[in-house]
Amino acid sequence: LNNRKNDPISGTLYALDRRLETIRKEQLAKNRASLRQLDSEQLQALEWVTTNITRKIFREVADELEHSASEGNGKRLSETVCLMLGLA
C-alpha cells in the first residue's frame, strides 16, 4: 500500500488500516482495567482475535474498493469510506 501513495484507493486503504488499528488499540486501552485479570496467554489470544477482526473488516472494505475501482467507481466509494471513518 505504501508504494502507491498517489493512488486514491491505496491511500484510502492505508488510512483505513491505520484507523482500524488505532480503534483496536484505543478499545483495548479503554478496557484495560477489566483485562487485568487475564494472564499473558489470554492477553495474547485477545490480541490475536482483535487483530483478526480488524483484518477481516479491512479485507471486506478493500475488496469492495478494489472491485468498485475496476468498474470505475473507486474514487466515489473511496471518498465515502474516508468520510464515514473520518479519514479525510
Side-chain angles (χ1 to χ4, degrees), residues 17-53:
D17 184 52
R18 300 293 49 151
R19 181 68 181 130
L20 289 172
E21 182 61 13
T22 298
I23 292 168
R24 185 186 79 80
K25 287 181 177 180
E26 286 173 349
Q27 289 304 305
L28 288 172
K30 182 179 176 182
N31 293 285
R32 186 170 296 148
S34 60
L35 300 176
R36 287 181 198 194
Q37 64 193 20
L38 301 179
D39 63 32
S40 62
E41 189 175 308
Q42 291 169 321
L43 285 171
Q44 267 187 311
L46 180 62
E47 285 284 333
W48 185 84
V49 168
T50 59
T51 297
N52 282 314
I53 290 169

Side-chain angles (χ1 to χ4, degrees), residues 1-6 10 14:
L1 294 174
N2 291 335
N3 355 355
R4 299 182 288 167
K5 286 183 181 176
N6 294 332
S10 294
Y14 179 77

